[in-house]
Amino acid sequence: MKKNGFTLVELLGVITILGILALVSFSALDSINKNDKKKAYDIQINGILESAISYVPTSDITLPTGTSEICLSLNQLHEEGVIKEAIENPKTGEKFDMDNVKVCIKKVQDTNFQNTLPENSYAYDGNYIYYMEGVE
């Protein structure tokens, strides 16, 4: 007797193996996607901070002394032409709140400031630390 085809057990085995492979592949792709969003977020934050660093010396802003700090909203930076309006947060896909998200500038007194700020959330120009406030 000739056997033409596969048995039900063989087909179910192949389908199970393909399902497991798909599950592993999708979870790996999801992890890659989350890492890409985090990198895009860090690049976005660094771009905003670098724009503020370039803008402040050419503006009439009085930089802080001692332990004081100043904060500029994204809206203020937009009005000065430093950044474009409606910057998107790559993590959420929503726009940053232009009035509540701020770039704060503080004179560095202690070189251990890195311990108090989240990684990739600040820039340092040698005298002042620029960091974001109001972002997740």
Side-chain angles (χ1 to χ4, degrees), residues 8-9 12 29 67 74-75 79 88 94 105 110-111 122 131 133:
L8 180 61
V9 173
L12 288 175
L29 291 174
T67 59
L74 292 186
N75 207 22
E79 288 170 359
E88 186 176 303
E94 297 175 5
I105 306 162
D110 181 9
T111 56
Y122 63 88
Y131 61 95
E133 194 172 272

Side-chain angles (χ1 to χ4, degrees), residues 21-33:
L21 288 174
L23 182 66
V24 169
S25 298
F26 288 135
S27 66
L29 291 174
D30 185 49
S31 174
I32 290 170
N33 190 25

Side-chain angles (χ1 to χ4, degrees), residues 33-80:
N33 190 25
K34 285 179 183 174
N35 286 339
D36 287 346
K37 285 183 180 181
K38 170 77 171 112
K39 286 178 185 174
Y41 177 81
D42 290 344
I43 290 169
Q44 187 77 284
I45 295 297
N46 286 332
I48 294 168
L49 293 172
E50 292 296 326
S51 296
I53 288 172
S54 298
Y55 164 70
V56 169
T58 62
S59 71
D60 59 354
I61 294 173
T62 303
L63 290 170
T65 59
T67 59
S68 65
E69 68 181 12
I70 60 167
C71 294
L72 306 168
S73 71
L74 292 186
N75 207 22
Q76 288 173 291
L77 293 173
H78 168 67
E79 288 170 359
E80 293 295 326

